[in-house]
């Protein structure tokens, strides 16, 4: 169970597995692209605008990332990206037989520094208490995960409800449901993954799903799992 949960959480958040991480120092960055696959370029801040002079390079934009692909075999051009902080990133794109899969541009902006300083003032257990109560936390961005399922087997279904994200810690709120026809124990003490600081659950012992609405254990087949962990790309 542990490995599957970790894998799905890493897929949901940008965990930069197999990524080339580059520290932004104000100089142009070379990125290798291809006509066969998209190259993901991640930034440490929201993007304001993108400038590209050629039409033979395809660019798809997200809040903090770009997906780039060459539309012709011979491409060599500069891509300019402006972040919310006003920083202009210059990326030199060129076609290669060995393109980058993911490039992460690491930049500690003033906003992120201020956010990190706020988050550092919140102990992990205080963060977890706020997660349990559904309260906002200074220095943390709350991301709605729309109940994305991160794990399923014959006994449990786990869906990611919310993520509390900061440069210092991440907090995960996971909805757990018993799929079995008998009571099961959610063994929280056996769950672990890299960077975990704290873990808790509302109820470890889950009843089976009720067959009638009138049954007393109607909501006892569900619980919530709370995990606080150090983000894999945190510079702190």
């Amino acid at each position: 169970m542990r490995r599957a949960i970790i894998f799905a959480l890493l897929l949901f958040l940008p965990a930069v597995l197999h990524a080339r991480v580059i520290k932004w120092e104000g100089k142009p960055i070379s990125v290798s692209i291809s006509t066969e696959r998209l190259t993901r370029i991640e930034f440490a801040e929201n993007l304001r605008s993108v400038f590209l002079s050629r039409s033979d390079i395809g660019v798809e934009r997200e809040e903090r990332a770009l997906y780039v692909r060459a539309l012709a075999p011979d491409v060599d051009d500069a891509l300019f990206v402006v972040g919310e902080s006003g920083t202009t990133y210059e990326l030199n794109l060129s076609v290669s037989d060995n393109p980058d899969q993911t490039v992460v541009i690491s930049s500690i902006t003033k906003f992120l520094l201020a956010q990190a300083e706020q988050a550092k003032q919140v102990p992990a257990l205080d963060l977890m208490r706020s997660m349990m109560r559904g309260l906002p936390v200074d220095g943390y961005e709350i991301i709605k995960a729309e109940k994305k399922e991160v794990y399923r087997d014959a006994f449990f279904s786990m869906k990611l409800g919310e993520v509390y994200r900061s440069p210092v810690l991440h907090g995960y709120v996971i909805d757990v449901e018993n799929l079995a026809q008998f009571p099961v124990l959610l063994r929280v003490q056996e769950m672990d993954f890299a960077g975990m600081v704290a873990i808790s659950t509302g109820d470890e012992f889950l009843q089976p799903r009720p067959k009638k609405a009138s049954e007393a254990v109607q909501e006892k087949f569900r619980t919530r799992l709370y995990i606080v962990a150090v983000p894999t790309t945190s510079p702190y």
Side-chain angles (χ1 to χ4, degrees):
M1 180 192 300
R2 174 175 59 89
R3 291 183 179 178
I5 296 171
I6 298 166
F7 182 67
L9 287 174
L10 291 178
L11 284 180
F12 179 78
L13 295 172
V16 298
L17 294 177
H18 309 295
R20 183 162 65 98
V21 181
I22 302 173
K23 183 178 179 180
W24 173 250
E25 297 179 338
K27 302 176 182 178
I29 295 174
S30 297
V31 178
S32 298
I33 62 175
S34 78
T35 57
E36 303 296 327
R37 62 189 301 178
L38 291 169
T39 294
R40 178 181 173 90
I41 306 173
E42 297 181 10
F43 298 82
E45 61 177 323
N46 292 346
L47 305 182
R48 183 186 300 170
S49 53
V50 178
F51 301 95
L52 184 66
S53 61
R54 302 177 64 124
S55 61
D56 52 4
I57 298 177
V59 179
E60 298 177 20
R61 175 177 164 184
E62 289 186 347
E63 190 175 57
R64 295 190 177 191
L66 298 176
Y67 291 89
V68 182
R69 183 169 68 89
L71 304 179
D74 296 316
V75 170
D76 189 351
D77 197 14
L79 173 67
F80 295 92
V81 182
V82 180
E84 278 193 345
S85 66
T87 301
T88 299
Y89 304 89
E90 181 179 349
L91 310 177
N92 292 332
L93 307 178
S94 59
V95 172
S96 170
D97 294 331
N98 186 27
D100 292 306
Q101 178 178 342
T102 302
V103 175
V104 178
I105 300 175
S106 174
S107 175
I108 309 302
T109 64
K110 291 182 179 180
F111 170 77
L112 287 178
L113 286 173
Q115 185 183 26
E117 286 302 317
Q118 282 186 313
K120 284 180 180 179
Q121 306 304 314
V122 182
L125 292 180
D126 286 352
L127 169 61
M128 182 167 287
R129 292 188 188 99
S130 296
M131 291 162 54
M132 291 177 174
R133 298 170 183 169
L135 299 176
V137 182
D138 289 342
Y140 283 82
E141 173 188 10
I142 301 177
I143 302 171
K144 301 293 184 181
E146 300 180 353
K147 306 299 182 181
K148 178 182 176 68
E149 191 168 61
V150 297
Y151 180 80
R152 172 182 281 264
D153 63 13
F155 303 100
F156 299 106
S157 169
M158 299 187 180
K159 297 179 180 180
L160 189 60
E162 293 179 337
V163 179
Y164 283 65
R165 188 169 69 179
S166 82
V168 181
L169 292 172
H170 285 174
Y172 306 98
V173 180
I174 302 173
D175 293 324
V176 184
E177 182 176 327
N178 179 12
L179 301 179
Q181 300 300 314
F182 47 84
V184 294
L185 182 64
L186 183 62
R187 300 181 183 276
V188 176
Q189 67 276 9
E190 295 181 3
M191 296 182 184
D192 187 22
F193 61 90
M196 189 173 73
V197 176
I199 185 169
S200 183
T201 185
D203 193 347
E204 291 190 357
F205 191 73
L206 300 182
Q207 296 289 341
R209 175 187 287 272
K211 296 180 180 179
K212 298 179 181 179
S214 60
E215 292 183 14
V217 294
Q218 185 172 359
E219 291 299 323
K220 296 296 184 179
F221 67 98
R222 293 193 183 108
T223 190
R224 279 189 168 177
L225 183 66
Y226 304 92
I227 300 174
V228 175
V230 178
T232 57
T233 58
S234 174
Y236 298 95

